Amino acid sequence: MKKILNGNEAFAMGALSAGVNFFAGYPITPSTDVYEFFMKEHDKYGVKFISATSEISAINLCFGASVAGGRALTATSGCGFSLMQEAISYMASDFVPCVILNVMREGAGLGDINRSQGDIFQMTKGGGNGDYHSIVLSCSSVRDCIDMPEIAFMLAEKYRTPVIVTYDSDIAHIKENVEIKEIKTHNIDSNFALVGSKDNPKRIQNIYYHDKNYDETLKNKYEMIEKNEMRYRSYKTDDADIVFVAISICERICMEAVNVLRSMGIKAGIITPITLYPFPKVAFNNLKEDTKIVVVELNILKQLRMDVEYFTKFKYKYYSINHMSKCPTVKEIVEYVKEI
Amino acid sequence: MYDMLCKGCGHRTAMSIIDRIIKEYGIKEKTIVFLDVACCSLLMDDIEYDDVMCPHGRVLDVSRGYKMLRKDKVVISYMGDGAAYAIGIEEMIHSARENFDIFAIVINNGLYSMTGGQFAPTFTGIDRKNIDSDKSELNFDKVLKIENLLKSFNINYLARCALTDKENIDFSYECIKKQMDIYMRKGGFCLTELISPCPTNYKMTIKENIDLIDENIKQVYKIGEFIVK
């Protein structure tokens, strides 16, 4: 069945198809639609919903639901996401799965509700205290928003780690006609759930306390993630002289810019990292040596470019088109590329 | 048993009471204990039930998330006064406001004990230095008394006991047993606070610390059952 949905509604529908059992959230623009969806629809789909009294509360309720074996989800933005970092760090160290949606909003502190991609550092480099990474998945369309929850829960349970799904507020509010998937129910009796024991009690606690080889365990976990889970999309990169790197709404704009540039005889292509962590460095393997890489993003500190430079070992020429929250136009991109 | 705790620590007594009650009810196989960090976490490898170590002050939220998906389990939320009444007071208020199914045990010694005995909002002001002097100048009104805070909510059980002598420990057992009875029968928010000695941080012998509770701290914190439904 096809339906016209915005990104947030699609994400909620996608989460139902992924068998979500539990949603706890605290409203914050631009992620509120997800909260509202579950508030209205949870009974119909048998999802436990709780209107938490803060983001701290929301993520800890999800922690508890995950310990019970459920597929737990929360959705937030900006400062709300910052409030969740402690529990995300706990879940990473305790090997507890969970999916967190962070719809990025503009600026530091309160900022504003405009589109932005300013949380890339925070999401990919940790955010909370200690030695951990969360897997980070980005969406560029309403279609992606439908598909991503299933991938997110799969990865969260495979590696027993928190997974963050992210997009900007343009994708959150853009409306597209998409095919929705069948709703699934997830059985909470999974192998990691605590259910009580007769002997040999199970313990969910920081890995440093109960695993004597925690160095190895942690190293293996993140090595496996980095080896197996790099995901990306690429378009016309085989013969490209100019390669854009962009996520979310910027991918959509660059896609059009690629077609315009190609029609003008400039060989352009685009790489979209779907996993921001682990960064899909293999996507850059077959580029020509003199390729110019243009990173298009919505933040001032060039957060995505920093990863691109590092993971491609600084061997290309790098350029940036970046604004705080104003979307670059196709014309602006084309003009910029003509200059270089 | 519970070897990591200091001599005279109230956690040992409290957990032994809980052990006894769980044994009496025969519910070991469906009991999950949610522990707070700091001194509570010293129990984490010794208790006989599945356990979860929660972020500081978030025990009630993590327990709630769990209980919402597994209604049939006995979920014990075990924390100190710092977690319950300082950093986690928001969770305490909202769990009580909703009268959510919670079986909470709060060990109250008035101090942040793991870090060396800094004062918590529950500290009465009475310690080794002023134990024999006039206490009229101490401002007991500033002490957080949970019964005053929670009495406006429709909760099912609230009591305070002290882990001092046999009489008081027996009373603690009676209270926690009644709490378990109410929790098993009809759920709702059930909390017992246990006034506990901490000889290490009060810098006293066990006997001196127990006397301090019996003679002084109990004047500030009234012992008894406040709400039974």
Side-chain angles (χ1 to χ4, degrees), chain A residues 48 50 53 56-57 60-61 64 68 90 188-189 194-198 201-205 209, chain B residues 28-29 32 44-45 47 49-53 55 58 61-62 64-66 68 70 73 90 94:
Chain A
K48 298 280 179 203
I50 181 162
T53 49
I56 301 175
S57 182
N60 283 296
L61 287 158
Y90 263 78
I188 61 170
D189 291 321
L194 287 197
V195 291
S197 326
K198 199 172 175 198
K202 274 203 221 170
R203 315 210 185 270
I204 293 206
Q205 44 182 244
Y209 297 134
Chain B
K28 187 184 169 196
E29 281 165 57
I32 321 285
M44 70 187 175
D45 289 328
I47 58 177
Y49 325 104
D50 285 7
D51 69 35
V52 183
M53 215 177 99
R58 311 297 160 214
D61 274 342
V62 182
R64 275 173 86 184
Y66 184 91
M68 280 179 80
R70 292 190 182 269
K73 301 294 174 193
E90 183 204 332
H94 288 294

mmCIF file of all heavy atoms in Angstrom, chain A residues 48 50 53 56-57 60-61 64 68 90 188-189 194-198 201-205 209, chain B residues 28-29 32 44-45 47 49-53 55 58 61-62 64-66 68 70 73 90 94:
data_model
loop_
_atom_site.group_PDB
_atom_site.id
_atom_site.type_symbol
_atom_site.label_atom_id
_atom_site.label_comp_id
_atom_site.label_asym_id
_atom_site.label_seq_id
_atom_site.Cartn_x
_atom_site.Cartn_y
_atom_site.Cartn_z
ATOM 1 N N LYS A 48 4.189 -0.470 23.523
ATOM 2 C CA LYS A 48 4.130 0.230 24.812
ATOM 3 C C LYS A 48 4.672 1.636 24.614
ATOM 4 O O LYS A 48 5.796 1.809 24.131
ATOM 5 C CB LYS A 48 4.979 -0.493 25.861
ATOM 6 C CG LYS A 48 4.519 -1.897 26.146
ATOM 7 C CD LYS A 48 3.343 -1.892 27.087
ATOM 8 C CE LYS A 48 2.890 -3.326 27.336
ATOM 9 N NZ LYS A 48 1.508 -3.417 27.769
ATOM 10 N N ILE A 50 5.350 5.491 26.394
ATOM 11 C CA ILE A 50 5.357 6.282 27.614
ATOM 12 C C ILE A 50 5.855 7.688 27.303
ATOM 13 O O ILE A 50 6.827 7.879 26.600
ATOM 14 C CB ILE A 50 6.167 5.601 28.737
ATOM 15 C CG1 ILE A 50 6.135 6.444 30.008
ATOM 16 C CG2 ILE A 50 7.569 5.279 28.338
ATOM 17 C CD1 ILE A 50 6.512 5.668 31.242
ATOM 18 N N THR A 53 9.315 12.219 31.196
ATOM 19 C CA THR A 53 9.329 13.567 31.757
ATOM 20 C C THR A 53 10.617 14.312 31.421
ATOM 21 O O THR A 53 10.798 15.450 31.827
ATOM 22 C CB THR A 53 9.144 13.514 33.273
ATOM 23 O OG1 THR A 53 10.053 12.549 33.803
ATOM 24 C CG2 THR A 53 7.741 13.131 33.635
ATOM 25 N N ILE A 56 16.332 12.416 29.493
ATOM 26 C CA ILE A 56 17.116 11.510 30.337
ATOM 27 C C ILE A 56 16.243 10.331 30.741
ATOM 28 O O ILE A 56 16.638 9.175 30.680
ATOM 29 C CB ILE A 56 17.626 12.250 31.595
ATOM 30 C CG1 ILE A 56 18.478 13.438 31.202
ATOM 31 C CG2 ILE A 56 18.408 11.304 32.498
ATOM 32 C CD1 ILE A 56 18.922 14.302 32.371
ATOM 33 N N SER A 57 15.028 10.668 31.133
ATOM 34 C CA SER A 57 14.078 9.634 31.510
ATOM 35 C C SER A 57 13.751 8.732 30.318
ATOM 36 O O SER A 57 13.723 7.509 30.442
ATOM 37 C CB SER A 57 12.825 10.336 32.034
ATOM 38 O OG SER A 57 11.898 9.425 32.462
ATOM 39 N N ASN A 60 16.483 6.225 29.499
ATOM 40 C CA ASN A 60 16.631 5.205 30.532
ATOM 41 C C ASN A 60 15.458 4.233 30.557
ATOM 42 O O ASN A 60 15.625 3.061 30.873
ATOM 43 C CB ASN A 60 16.830 5.857 31.898
ATOM 44 C CG ASN A 60 18.242 6.384 32.060
ATOM 45 O OD1 ASN A 60 19.187 5.621 32.057
ATOM 46 N ND2 ASN A 60 18.388 7.692 32.146
ATOM 47 N N LEU A 61 14.276 4.726 30.208
ATOM 48 C CA LEU A 61 13.136 3.815 30.050
ATOM 49 C C LEU A 61 13.429 2.834 28.916
ATOM 50 O O LEU A 61 13.138 1.639 29.021
ATOM 51 C CB LEU A 61 11.868 4.611 29.760
ATOM 52 C CG LEU A 61 11.291 5.374 30.958
ATOM 53 C CD1 LEU A 61 10.416 6.524 30.500
ATOM 54 C CD2 LEU A 61 10.503 4.445 31.872
ATOM 55 N N GLY A 64 15.746 0.131 30.088
ATOM 56 C CA GLY A 64 15.017 -0.922 30.807
ATOM 57 C C GLY A 64 14.276 -1.843 29.866
ATOM 58 O O GLY A 64 14.301 -3.067 30.005
ATOM 59 N N ALA A 68 14.732 -5.924 29.021
ATOM 60 C CA ALA A 68 13.635 -6.892 29.026
ATOM 61 C C ALA A 68 13.544 -7.671 27.719
ATOM 62 O O ALA A 68 12.714 -8.558 27.574
ATOM 63 C CB ALA A 68 12.314 -6.166 29.293
ATOM 64 N N TYR A 90 26.328 4.186 28.727
ATOM 65 C CA TYR A 90 26.068 3.000 29.556
ATOM 66 C C TYR A 90 25.676 1.801 28.708
ATOM 67 O O TYR A 90 26.156 0.696 28.907
ATOM 68 C CB TYR A 90 24.941 3.285 30.563
ATOM 69 C CG TYR A 90 25.425 3.680 31.926
ATOM 70 C CD1 TYR A 90 25.881 4.967 32.175
ATOM 71 C CD2 TYR A 90 25.433 2.780 32.976
ATOM 72 C CE1 TYR A 90 26.330 5.344 33.414
ATOM 73 C CE2 TYR A 90 25.886 3.147 34.230
ATOM 74 C CZ TYR A 90 26.328 4.429 34.452
ATOM 75 O OH TYR A 90 26.769 4.794 35.680
ATOM 76 N N ILE A 188 9.717 -10.766 22.574
ATOM 77 C CA ILE A 188 10.717 -10.183 23.471
ATOM 78 C C ILE A 188 11.613 -11.223 24.148
ATOM 79 O O ILE A 188 12.558 -10.859 24.834
ATOM 80 C CB ILE A 188 10.071 -9.268 24.544
ATOM 81 C CG1 ILE A 188 9.107 -10.025 25.434
ATOM 82 C CG2 ILE A 188 9.419 -8.067 23.927
ATOM 83 C CD1 ILE A 188 8.647 -9.214 26.628
ATOM 84 N N ASP A 189 11.328 -12.506 23.959
ATOM 85 C CA ASP A 189 12.181 -13.518 24.598
ATOM 86 C C ASP A 189 13.461 -13.754 23.802
ATOM 87 O O ASP A 189 13.681 -14.820 23.244
ATOM 88 C CB ASP A 189 11.417 -14.835 24.766
ATOM 89 C CG ASP A 189 10.324 -14.675 25.792
ATOM 90 O OD1 ASP A 189 10.559 -13.987 26.801
ATOM 91 O OD2 ASP A 189 9.228 -15.212 25.565
ATOM 92 N N LEU A 194 16.975 -10.252 30.271
ATOM 93 C CA LEU A 194 17.008 -10.748 31.644
ATOM 94 C C LEU A 194 15.600 -11.189 32.018
ATOM 95 O O LEU A 194 14.654 -10.423 31.890
ATOM 96 C CB LEU A 194 17.440 -9.636 32.613
ATOM 97 C CG LEU A 194 18.893 -9.199 32.627
ATOM 98 C CD1 LEU A 194 19.174 -8.432 33.900
ATOM 99 C CD2 LEU A 194 19.845 -10.359 32.504
ATOM 100 N N VAL A 195 15.474 -12.421 32.493
ATOM 101 C CA VAL A 195 14.143 -12.901 32.863
ATOM 102 C C VAL A 195 14.128 -13.527 34.251
ATOM 103 O O VAL A 195 13.112 -14.036 34.702
ATOM 104 C CB VAL A 195 13.619 -13.935 31.839
ATOM 105 C CG1 VAL A 195 13.324 -13.264 30.515
ATOM 106 C CG2 VAL A 195 14.606 -15.072 31.641
ATOM 107 N N GLY A 196 15.257 -13.496 34.947
ATOM 108 C CA GLY A 196 15.366 -14.158 36.241
ATOM 109 C C GLY A 196 16.029 -15.514 36.074
ATOM 110 O O GLY A 196 15.842 -16.165 35.056
ATOM 111 N N SER A 197 16.833 -15.906 37.071
ATOM 112 C CA SER A 197 17.534 -17.189 36.948
ATOM 113 C C SER A 197 17.441 -17.971 38.246
ATOM 114 O O SER A 197 17.364 -17.393 39.325
ATOM 115 C CB SER A 197 19.022 -16.985 36.674
ATOM 116 O OG SER A 197 19.246 -15.873 35.902
ATOM 117 N N LYS A 198 17.502 -19.289 38.085
ATOM 118 C CA LYS A 198 17.534 -20.151 39.261
ATOM 119 C C LYS A 198 18.954 -20.154 39.846
ATOM 120 O O LYS A 198 19.165 -19.865 41.004
ATOM 121 C CB LYS A 198 17.112 -21.565 38.863
ATOM 122 C CG LYS A 198 16.677 -22.405 40.020
ATOM 123 C CD LYS A 198 16.095 -23.718 39.528
ATOM 124 C CE LYS A 198 15.777 -24.585 40.729
ATOM 125 N NZ LYS A 198 15.630 -25.984 40.346
ATOM 126 N N PRO A 201 23.085 -16.285 38.014
ATOM 127 C CA PRO A 201 22.364 -15.092 37.563
ATOM 128 C C PRO A 201 23.091 -14.353 36.449
ATOM 129 O O PRO A 201 24.316 -14.317 36.412
ATOM 130 C CB PRO A 201 22.289 -14.227 38.819
ATOM 131 C CG PRO A 201 23.269 -14.796 39.776
ATOM 132 C CD PRO A 201 23.422 -16.234 39.437
ATOM 133 N N LYS A 202 22.282 -13.810 35.521
ATOM 134 C CA LYS A 202 22.838 -12.995 34.440
ATOM 135 C C LYS A 202 22.997 -11.574 34.940
ATOM 136 O O LYS A 202 22.174 -11.083 35.715
ATOM 137 C CB LYS A 202 21.853 -12.969 33.272
ATOM 138 C CG LYS A 202 21.979 -14.102 32.307
ATOM 139 C CD LYS A 202 21.383 -13.602 30.996
ATOM 140 C CE LYS A 202 20.550 -14.619 30.294
ATOM 141 N NZ LYS A 202 19.812 -14.066 29.168
ATOM 142 N N ARG A 203 24.038 -10.910 34.477
ATOM 143 C CA ARG A 203 24.253 -9.551 34.956
ATOM 144 C C ARG A 203 24.449 -8.610 33.772
ATOM 145 O O ARG A 203 25.221 -8.896 32.874
ATOM 146 C CB ARG A 203 25.477 -9.492 35.853
ATOM 147 C CG ARG A 203 25.537 -10.630 36.877
ATOM 148 C CD ARG A 203 26.248 -10.204 38.127
ATOM 149 N NE ARG A 203 26.426 -11.305 39.061
ATOM 150 C CZ ARG A 203 25.549 -11.634 40.005
ATOM 151 N NH1 ARG A 203 24.426 -10.951 40.125
ATOM 152 N NH2 ARG A 203 25.789 -12.624 40.831
ATOM 153 N N ILE A 204 23.736 -7.514 33.813
ATOM 154 C CA ILE A 204 23.971 -6.479 32.809
ATOM 155 C C ILE A 204 24.683 -5.346 33.506
ATOM 156 O O ILE A 204 24.107 -4.629 34.320
ATOM 157 C CB ILE A 204 22.657 -6.024 32.160
ATOM 158 C CG1 ILE A 204 22.109 -7.183 31.353
ATOM 159 C CG2 ILE A 204 22.880 -4.762 31.315
ATOM 160 C CD1 ILE A 204 21.229 -6.866 30.214
ATOM 161 N N GLN A 205 25.961 -5.256 33.262
ATOM 162 C CA GLN A 205 26.780 -4.238 33.910
ATOM 163 C C GLN A 205 27.932 -3.918 32.980
ATOM 164 O O GLN A 205 28.152 -4.611 31.986
ATOM 165 C CB GLN A 205 27.269 -4.742 35.261
ATOM 166 C CG GLN A 205 27.764 -6.169 35.193
ATOM 167 C CD GLN A 205 28.214 -6.731 36.529
ATOM 168 O OE1 GLN A 205 29.362 -7.025 36.671
ATOM 169 N NE2 GLN A 205 27.323 -6.886 37.472
ATOM 170 N N TYR A 209 33.685 -4.828 34.299
ATOM 171 C CA TYR A 209 33.554 -5.509 35.579
ATOM 172 C C TYR A 209 33.512 -7.029 35.469
ATOM 173 O O TYR A 209 33.823 -7.712 36.408
ATOM 174 C CB TYR A 209 32.293 -5.036 36.314
ATOM 175 C CG TYR A 209 32.312 -3.581 36.663
ATOM 176 C CD1 TYR A 209 31.215 -2.775 36.421
ATOM 177 C CD2 TYR A 209 33.444 -3.011 37.239
ATOM 178 C CE1 TYR A 209 31.243 -1.427 36.739
ATOM 179 C CE2 TYR A 209 33.475 -1.669 37.549
ATOM 180 C CZ TYR A 209 32.379 -0.883 37.303
ATOM 181 O OH TYR A 209 32.407 0.439 37.610
ATOM 182 N N LYS B 28 12.503 -16.307 43.535
ATOM 183 C CA LYS B 28 13.853 -16.016 43.078
ATOM 184 C C LYS B 28 13.970 -16.019 41.556
ATOM 185 O O LYS B 28 14.642 -15.178 40.970
ATOM 186 C CB LYS B 28 14.802 -17.067 43.666
ATOM 187 C CG LYS B 28 16.251 -16.759 43.400
ATOM 188 C CD LYS B 28 17.168 -17.848 43.911
ATOM 189 C CE LYS B 28 18.551 -17.605 43.362
ATOM 190 N NZ LYS B 28 19.419 -18.747 43.476
ATOM 191 N N GLU B 29 13.273 -16.962 40.934
ATOM 192 C CA GLU B 29 13.439 -17.120 39.487
ATOM 193 C C GLU B 29 12.798 -16.013 38.672
ATOM 194 O O GLU B 29 13.000 -15.937 37.460
ATOM 195 C CB GLU B 29 12.874 -18.463 39.037
ATOM 196 C CG GLU B 29 13.832 -19.586 39.332
ATOM 197 C CD GLU B 29 13.158 -20.927 39.223
ATOM 198 O OE1 GLU B 29 12.613 -21.217 38.150
ATOM 199 O OE2 GLU B 29 13.162 -21.678 40.215
ATOM 200 N N ILE B 32 14.338 -9.581 39.349
ATOM 201 C CA ILE B 32 15.443 -8.840 38.728
ATOM 202 C C ILE B 32 15.739 -7.655 39.639
ATOM 203 O O ILE B 32 14.814 -6.953 40.062
ATOM 204 C CB ILE B 32 15.066 -8.262 37.349
ATOM 205 C CG1 ILE B 32 14.204 -9.215 36.547
ATOM 206 C CG2 ILE B 32 16.293 -7.816 36.588
ATOM 207 C CD1 ILE B 32 14.913 -10.372 35.969
ATOM 208 N N MET B 44 26.837 -6.016 43.284
ATOM 209 C CA MET B 44 26.393 -6.517 41.978
ATOM 210 C C MET B 44 26.891 -7.912 41.635
ATOM 211 O O MET B 44 26.238 -8.624 40.899
ATOM 212 C CB MET B 44 26.775 -5.535 40.879
ATOM 213 C CG MET B 44 28.251 -5.466 40.609
ATOM 214 S SD MET B 44 28.600 -4.152 39.453
ATOM 215 C CE MET B 44 30.372 -4.223 39.473
ATOM 216 N N ASP B 45 28.056 -8.310 42.164
ATOM 217 C CA ASP B 45 28.534 -9.651 41.829
ATOM 218 C C ASP B 45 28.105 -10.692 42.846
ATOM 219 O O ASP B 45 28.302 -11.879 42.637
ATOM 220 C CB ASP B 45 30.058 -9.643 41.696
ATOM 221 C CG ASP B 45 30.492 -8.906 40.447
ATOM 222 O OD1 ASP B 45 29.734 -8.956 39.458
ATOM 223 O OD2 ASP B 45 31.546 -8.267 40.471
ATOM 224 N N ILE B 47 24.882 -10.707 44.616
ATOM 225 C CA ILE B 47 23.466 -11.051 44.779
ATOM 226 C C ILE B 47 23.091 -12.221 43.871
ATOM 227 O O ILE B 47 23.713 -12.444 42.837
ATOM 228 C CB ILE B 47 22.534 -9.841 44.545
ATOM 229 C CG1 ILE B 47 22.730 -9.245 43.164
ATOM 230 C CG2 ILE B 47 22.730 -8.787 45.605
ATOM 231 C CD1 ILE B 47 21.772 -8.112 42.898
ATOM 232 N N TYR B 49 20.399 -12.843 42.185
ATOM 233 C CA TYR B 49 19.370 -12.640 41.162
ATOM 234 C C TYR B 49 19.995 -11.954 39.964
ATOM 235 O O TYR B 49 21.053 -11.361 40.056
ATOM 236 C CB TYR B 49 18.239 -11.768 41.729
ATOM 237 C CG TYR B 49 17.996 -12.035 43.183
ATOM 238 C CD1 TYR B 49 18.435 -11.146 44.155
ATOM 239 C CD2 TYR B 49 17.391 -13.218 43.579
ATOM 240 C CE1 TYR B 49 18.266 -11.422 45.499
ATOM 241 C CE2 TYR B 49 17.218 -13.505 44.913
ATOM 242 C CZ TYR B 49 17.663 -12.606 45.875
ATOM 243 O OH TYR B 49 17.504 -12.895 47.189
ATOM 244 N N ASP B 50 19.284 -12.024 38.832
ATOM 245 C CA ASP B 50 19.719 -11.250 37.667
ATOM 246 C C ASP B 50 19.789 -9.790 38.077
ATOM 247 O O ASP B 50 18.896 -9.297 38.780
ATOM 248 C CB ASP B 50 18.693 -11.399 36.535
ATOM 249 C CG ASP B 50 18.798 -12.751 35.856
ATOM 250 O OD1 ASP B 50 19.555 -13.592 36.349
ATOM 251 O OD2 ASP B 50 18.125 -12.950 34.842
ATOM 252 N N ASP B 51 20.822 -9.110 37.668
ATOM 253 C CA ASP B 51 20.883 -7.696 38.050
ATOM 254 C C ASP B 51 21.329 -6.793 36.912
ATOM 255 O O ASP B 51 21.929 -7.236 35.931
ATOM 256 C CB ASP B 51 21.744 -7.479 39.301
ATOM 257 C CG ASP B 51 23.231 -7.724 39.066
ATOM 258 O OD1 ASP B 51 23.706 -7.413 37.981
ATOM 259 O OD2 ASP B 51 23.900 -8.212 39.990
ATOM 260 N N VAL B 52 20.970 -5.543 37.042
ATOM 261 C CA VAL B 52 21.327 -4.526 36.057
ATOM 262 C C VAL B 52 21.921 -3.354 36.820
ATOM 263 O O VAL B 52 21.379 -2.940 37.844
ATOM 264 C CB VAL B 52 20.087 -4.005 35.302
ATOM 265 C CG1 VAL B 52 20.498 -2.999 34.231
ATOM 266 C CG2 VAL B 52 19.308 -5.138 34.690
ATOM 267 N N MET B 53 23.050 -2.851 36.335
ATOM 268 C CA MET B 53 23.590 -1.650 36.949
ATOM 269 C C MET B 53 23.149 -0.448 36.130
ATOM 270 O O MET B 53 23.462 -0.334 34.961
ATOM 271 C CB MET B 53 25.105 -1.730 37.009
ATOM 272 C CG MET B 53 25.640 -1.071 38.236
ATOM 273 S SD MET B 53 27.392 -1.270 38.309
ATOM 274 C CE MET B 53 27.866 0.289 37.683
ATOM 275 N N PRO B 55 22.443 3.769 35.267
ATOM 276 C CA PRO B 55 23.101 5.064 35.454
ATOM 277 C C PRO B 55 22.684 5.684 36.787
ATOM 278 O O PRO B 55 21.592 5.407 37.292
ATOM 279 C CB PRO B 55 22.579 5.901 34.280
ATOM 280 C CG PRO B 55 22.160 4.912 33.263
ATOM 281 C CD PRO B 55 21.675 3.710 34.015
ATOM 282 N N ARG B 58 19.012 6.755 37.976
ATOM 283 C CA ARG B 58 18.004 6.399 36.960
ATOM 284 C C ARG B 58 17.405 5.023 37.191
ATOM 285 O O ARG B 58 16.817 4.448 36.283
ATOM 286 C CB ARG B 58 18.620 6.460 35.555
ATOM 287 C CG ARG B 58 19.384 7.714 35.272
ATOM 288 C CD ARG B 58 18.524 8.958 35.317
ATOM 289 N NE ARG B 58 19.366 10.124 35.502
ATOM 290 C CZ ARG B 58 19.035 11.208 36.186
ATOM 291 N NH1 ARG B 58 17.854 11.297 36.768
ATOM 292 N NH2 ARG B 58 19.862 12.206 36.297
ATOM 293 N N ASP B 61 13.617 4.711 36.473
ATOM 294 C CA ASP B 61 13.262 4.737 35.051
ATOM 295 C C ASP B 61 13.605 3.425 34.367
ATOM 296 O O ASP B 61 12.808 2.896 33.599
ATOM 297 C CB ASP B 61 14.009 5.874 34.343
ATOM 298 C CG ASP B 61 13.247 7.183 34.474
ATOM 299 O OD1 ASP B 61 12.042 7.130 34.781
ATOM 300 O OD2 ASP B 61 13.857 8.240 34.266
ATOM 301 N N VAL B 62 14.794 2.916 34.638
ATOM 302 C CA VAL B 62 15.188 1.661 33.997
ATOM 303 C C VAL B 62 14.244 0.542 34.453
ATOM 304 O O VAL B 62 13.785 -0.266 33.643
ATOM 305 C CB VAL B 62 16.665 1.329 34.286
ATOM 306 C CG1 VAL B 62 17.086 0.062 33.579
ATOM 307 C CG2 VAL B 62 17.572 2.470 33.841
ATOM 308 N N ARG B 64 11.186 0.874 35.402
ATOM 309 C CA ARG B 64 9.865 1.079 34.786
ATOM 310 C C ARG B 64 9.844 0.572 33.367
ATOM 311 O O ARG B 64 8.895 -0.084 32.939
ATOM 312 C CB ARG B 64 9.528 2.571 34.764
ATOM 313 C CG ARG B 64 8.914 3.078 36.020
ATOM 314 C CD ARG B 64 8.799 4.584 35.942
ATOM 315 N NE ARG B 64 7.580 4.990 35.291
ATOM 316 C CZ ARG B 64 7.279 6.261 35.026
ATOM 317 N NH1 ARG B 64 8.120 7.213 35.348
ATOM 318 N NH2 ARG B 64 6.144 6.564 34.460
ATOM 319 N N GLY B 65 10.903 0.906 32.609
ATOM 320 C CA GLY B 65 10.980 0.443 31.229
ATOM 321 C C GLY B 65 10.904 -1.070 31.162
ATOM 322 O O GLY B 65 10.201 -1.649 30.331
ATOM 323 N N TYR B 66 11.595 -1.714 32.102
ATOM 324 C CA TYR B 66 11.589 -3.175 32.152
ATOM 325 C C TYR B 66 10.191 -3.698 32.499
ATOM 326 O O TYR B 66 9.642 -4.569 31.835
ATOM 327 C CB TYR B 66 12.604 -3.659 33.186
ATOM 328 C CG TYR B 66 12.726 -5.160 33.240
ATOM 329 C CD1 TYR B 66 13.649 -5.821 32.469
ATOM 330 C CD2 TYR B 66 11.884 -5.907 34.062
ATOM 331 C CE1 TYR B 66 13.747 -7.197 32.491
ATOM 332 C CE2 TYR B 66 11.971 -7.284 34.092
ATOM 333 C CZ TYR B 66 12.909 -7.931 33.303
ATOM 334 O OH TYR B 66 12.987 -9.286 33.324
ATOM 335 N N MET B 68 7.330 -2.405 32.216
ATOM 336 C CA MET B 68 6.279 -2.192 31.214
ATOM 337 C C MET B 68 6.209 -3.345 30.225
ATOM 338 O O MET B 68 5.139 -3.677 29.725
ATOM 339 C CB MET B 68 6.527 -0.886 30.455
ATOM 340 C CG MET B 68 6.066 0.321 31.238
ATOM 341 S SD MET B 68 6.378 1.842 30.362
ATOM 342 C CE MET B 68 5.005 1.874 29.216
ATOM 343 N N ARG B 70 7.535 -6.500 30.956
ATOM 344 C CA ARG B 70 7.442 -7.789 31.647
ATOM 345 C C ARG B 70 6.719 -7.609 32.974
ATOM 346 O O ARG B 70 7.323 -7.505 34.038
ATOM 347 C CB ARG B 70 8.834 -8.384 31.856
ATOM 348 C CG ARG B 70 9.490 -8.806 30.546
ATOM 349 C CD ARG B 70 10.742 -9.592 30.769
ATOM 350 N NE ARG B 70 11.371 -9.953 29.514
ATOM 351 C CZ ARG B 70 11.119 -11.097 28.867
ATOM 352 N NH1 ARG B 70 10.288 -11.980 29.345
ATOM 353 N NH2 ARG B 70 11.749 -11.345 27.729
ATOM 354 N N LYS B 73 7.214 -10.024 36.230
ATOM 355 C CA LYS B 73 8.466 -10.130 36.992
ATOM 356 C C LYS B 73 8.423 -9.293 38.263
ATOM 357 O O LYS B 73 7.691 -8.305 38.351
ATOM 358 C CB LYS B 73 9.645 -9.662 36.131
ATOM 359 C CG LYS B 73 9.824 -10.435 34.848
ATOM 360 C CD LYS B 73 10.215 -11.861 35.088
ATOM 361 C CE LYS B 73 10.247 -12.633 33.782
ATOM 362 N NZ LYS B 73 10.332 -14.077 33.978
ATOM 363 N N GLU B 90 13.677 13.524 40.381
ATOM 364 C CA GLU B 90 12.645 13.707 39.357
ATOM 365 C C GLU B 90 11.928 12.380 39.078
ATOM 366 O O GLU B 90 10.698 12.314 39.031
ATOM 367 C CB GLU B 90 13.290 14.241 38.081
ATOM 368 C CG GLU B 90 12.296 14.540 36.988
ATOM 369 C CD GLU B 90 12.905 14.503 35.604
ATOM 370 O OE1 GLU B 90 14.105 14.762 35.462
ATOM 371 O OE2 GLU B 90 12.155 14.199 34.668
ATOM 372 N N HIS B 94 7.923 11.469 39.688
ATOM 373 C CA HIS B 94 7.007 11.085 38.608
ATOM 374 C C HIS B 94 6.554 9.631 38.708
ATOM 375 O O HIS B 94 5.421 9.322 38.343
ATOM 376 C CB HIS B 94 7.636 11.393 37.251
ATOM 377 C CG HIS B 94 7.681 12.854 36.973
ATOM 378 N ND1 HIS B 94 6.531 13.600 36.794
ATOM 379 C CD2 HIS B 94 8.697 13.731 36.894
ATOM 380 C CE1 HIS B 94 6.858 14.863 36.607
ATOM 381 N NE2 HIS B 94 8.170 14.970 36.660
#
